[in-house]
Each structure stands twice: as C-alpha cells, then as structure tokens.
Amino acid sequence: MKIVLIIACVAILSLPFVFESASTVSAQRSKKTAQKKAPAKKSTTKAKSKAAASKSKSSGRSSAKNRSASKGRRSSKSSRSSRSRSSASTSRAIFKERPAVTPATETERELIVSVPMAPIRANARFDAPYVANARLGTILKSSEKNPQWFKVQYLVGGKLQAGWISSANAIEMDASADKQALYADIAEKTFRADMDFSAASTLHDFLSRVPVPQEISDRTASIEVKRIESLRVALGRIGRNERNISPYAEFIKEHQSEIAVSEGTGELLVSSNLFWNLAEKYRALSSGDIIAWAGARNTLPSNCGDKLNCHLFNLRMTDAEYLNMFPNGQRSPEALGNISTRLGSVVSDIKEKTLFKISEDEASKAELKSLLTELTVIVSRTSSGSKASVLAQIKQVGEAYR
C-alpha cells in the first residue's frame, strides 16, 4: 500500500514536467510551421542565423528566378503586344491604301486589237464619242477593265492620252500564251471573202508584220495562207479607174512583185507562185496539201483564146502542179477529174480543130511535146484507177497535133 502511494505521489509530481514538455514541443512545432509560412527573420542564435541565411539565400534565388520569369513574361507579353500593335497598324495601312471596290480591276495588262479598226471612246459607253481608231494588231496598255471595256492609253501627237475600247475588239496578251496560236485565231476570225479593201489591206498588213518562227507548224502555215488570201481580196476591191488614186496606188506599188495582171480583163491577181512556194515550204505537213490546192484554184493571168499550148500550160500549172506535188493527196481524184474534163474538150475538137489550134512552127510543136510529156509523167505517178483513161487522152492529143 505504501509502495502504491509513493508511486502515485511521484506521478503527480511529474505531471507539470510532462505538460510543459508537451506544450514546449507543440510550441516549437507551431513556431516551425510559422517559420515556413512567414518570411525568414534574424535570429540571435547561430543555428537560427544560419538557417535564416540559408533560407534567405534560397529565397533570394527563387525571387530572382521569379523576377526573371516575370520579366520574361512581361517582355513576351510586351513583344506580343508590340507585334499585335504593329500588325494592326500594318493592316490599317493596307486597308487605307486599298482602292474602293469598283467593277473594274487595277492590273496592268497588254492588249492586242483583234478587228480591222477599233474605235477608242472617251468613256466606257457605246454612245460615247470616239477619240481615236486603233488598227488591227496594235498593242495597247490597259490598267482598268470591266466586263465590256478596257481603259487604254494611246498616243496622239506624241502625247499619251486615255480612252476606252470595247472588250469585243481586243484580246488580252498573256506573256505565257502561244502567240502564234493567237495570231492564227485572229486571222481566222477576221478573214472574210467579202471584206472591203480597208479591212483586207489591214489584215494583210498585220499578217505581214507577224513574226514567223523558223520551226514550221500548221499554225504558221495558216497565218501565211491568210496573208496571201487577204492580199487577193484587197486587190479584187480595186477598180480599174482607182489604181492611180491613194491609198490604192501605194498599195499596188508596195506589192507589185506579188501581183499579176490578167491579159484579158486587166484584173489584178495574186501570183500563183506565192501559193506554190508556200506549199513547198509546208510540204511535209497536212497544210502543204491544203495550200497546194489553193494554188491550183488560183486564177492565172493568161487569156488563151484558141491557143492549145496556152490551155495545156494552164492545166499544167493548176491541177497538174497539184498532182506533181501530191500525186496521192487529198484532192488528187478531183484534180485528175479536172484534167480529164479539160483534155476531153481538146479531144472532142481534134477533127475540126476550131477551138484549139497550134502554130506550125517547130518551136510551138516542141513546146506542145514537152507539155504532154510532163502531163504523162505526172499522171502516171498517181495511184488513181482513172489515170489510164487520162493517159489515153494525152496520147490522142499528141498524135493529133504532132
């Protein structure tokens, strides 16, 4: 019992120490927690000073990093803000410079006039007064366009003026476009057999100025053929009493080497050699056949009357010349048929010899023999089944007029 009482007394006496120690530990823990949350303070003890210094140093590095990161973020934000302001400023500048929306575009372009004569008008209206005329092939600069008109610049007295040309009368020239195809298309659309002198001579002048490349093609052939045909139409529009009047006199003089004059009517004709030379140039292409047939249909200047040699020469230089170049060409059956028809007229007159005559001199007979020999050789080279009858006709004429 005494022992129990002694132990109880000791326990009671020890309670303040236990409570103090617990409260001390609790206070220390609270202090440590507060120290973690609160900024480091100076301490009088070495341990606390070192801890505070270490913590302060660490906090300083952390703060420096935070300041640097904050500065970087501010710099990045400032940069983005600056770029945003710059972008907005640029956008505003572009917007200010952008022209008002109109039906026309403001792109510089080159045009080529595609009709014999195109009026340039003061305004983009068909009822506006015209201020100038642009000939076929004229190159114009344009900076404005709408669906029906081009605004163009043109020279008047050495001064640059502005006007409007209908989009139906001009074609935009793309730098990458095939110019030969463009010229051929203009020639095809512009040419008409019933053109007047002004339109025909303008087309001929344009096609004479078109550069022809060394490499031959069906397109370049088309251009060159249309040049000859437009010359033929232009000459056909000049009356006999107009040949000494401008502009006809100047045109005839300029092209006199390409012109033949009909012995019977005095009509101005295109020389057939223009077709034959061109057909020879394009002989390797299908265009050569077409050109040769055009040459075979061209009117010759001679007025033969009853001269047999003259008739045979014309036959030799038309249908027979076509067969000479293209013995089995697309038109060879037709050409052979034309030869047979014309020789048939001579054969029918062999007995009477009133429509076809020949001089009795040796030179005329030698010429006749030469012409008939050439015809025989040419017809023999064809593969047509009707050539045997034509060769028989040639033989009959030779026997009758030898």
Side-chain angles (χ1 to χ4, degrees), residues 242-281:
E242 296 175 325
R243 295 178 185 178
N244 296 321
I245 302 173
S246 183
Y248 310 114
E250 293 83 355
F251 186 81
I252 292 170
K253 183 177 181 180
E254 182 182 356
H255 301 289
Q256 59 184 355
S257 63
E258 301 174 301
I259 298 173
V261 181
S262 172
E263 296 175 357
T265 63
E267 181 184 1
L268 298 176
L269 306 170
V270 168
S271 171
S272 290
N273 286 335
L274 296 178
F275 288 104
W276 298 125
N277 292 339
L278 198 61
E280 183 62 37
K281 177 180 177 179

Side-chain angles (χ1 to χ4, degrees), residues 1-16:
M1 184 72 179
K2 289 181 178 180
I3 295 171
V4 172
L5 289 173
I6 292 169
I7 293 171
C9 289
V10 172
I12 292 170
L13 290 173
S14 300
L15 283 173

Side-chain angles (χ1 to χ4, degrees), residues 79-208:
S79 177
R80 288 194 299 270
S81 176
S82 175
R83 286 196 298 270
S84 178
R85 287 194 299 273
S86 175
S87 177
S89 175
T90 303
S91 297
R92 286 194 295 273
I94 292 173
F95 179 77
K96 288 177 181 178
E97 294 173 1
R98 189 176 297 150
V101 177
T102 64
T105 57
E106 301 293 335
T107 305
E108 185 77 5
R109 57 178 63 81
E110 273 193 348
L111 311 175
I112 183 170
V113 177
S114 58
V115 295
M117 197 67 69
I120 298 176
R121 300 187 181 276
N123 298 298
R125 301 195 317 271
F126 288 104
D127 60 348
Y130 75 88
V131 292
N133 282 319
R135 287 167 62 88
L136 176 66
T138 301
I139 305 298
L140 297 170
K141 296 284 186 180
S142 172
S143 60
E144 192 172 339
K145 174 188 178 182
N146 64 40
Q148 289 186 307
W149 299 91
F150 290 108
K151 188 175 184 179
V152 297
Q153 296 177 333
Y154 62 97
L155 286 173
V156 176
K159 294 182 180 180
L160 205 59
Q161 304 289 337
W164 294 83
I165 187 171
S166 170
S167 57
N169 296 335
I171 299 173
E172 289 189 51
M173 293 190 71
D174 186 349
S176 62
D178 183 346
K179 287 186 171 56
Q180 292 300 314
L182 174 64
Y183 299 146
D185 185 56
I186 290 174
E188 191 66 33
K189 290 179 179 178
T190 305
F191 179 82
R192 299 192 321 273
D194 62 347
M195 290 186 295
D196 60 17
F197 173 81
S198 177
S201 60
T202 299
L203 177 57
H204 177 267
D205 178 64
F206 164 64
L207 296 177
S208 297

Side-chain angles (χ1 to χ4, degrees), residues 315 335-345 386 389-390 393:
L315 185 60
L336 199 60
N338 292 338
I339 293 173
S340 178
T341 298
R342 296 173 73 175
L343 286 176
S345 300
S386 61
S389 61
V390 177
Q393 288 175 315

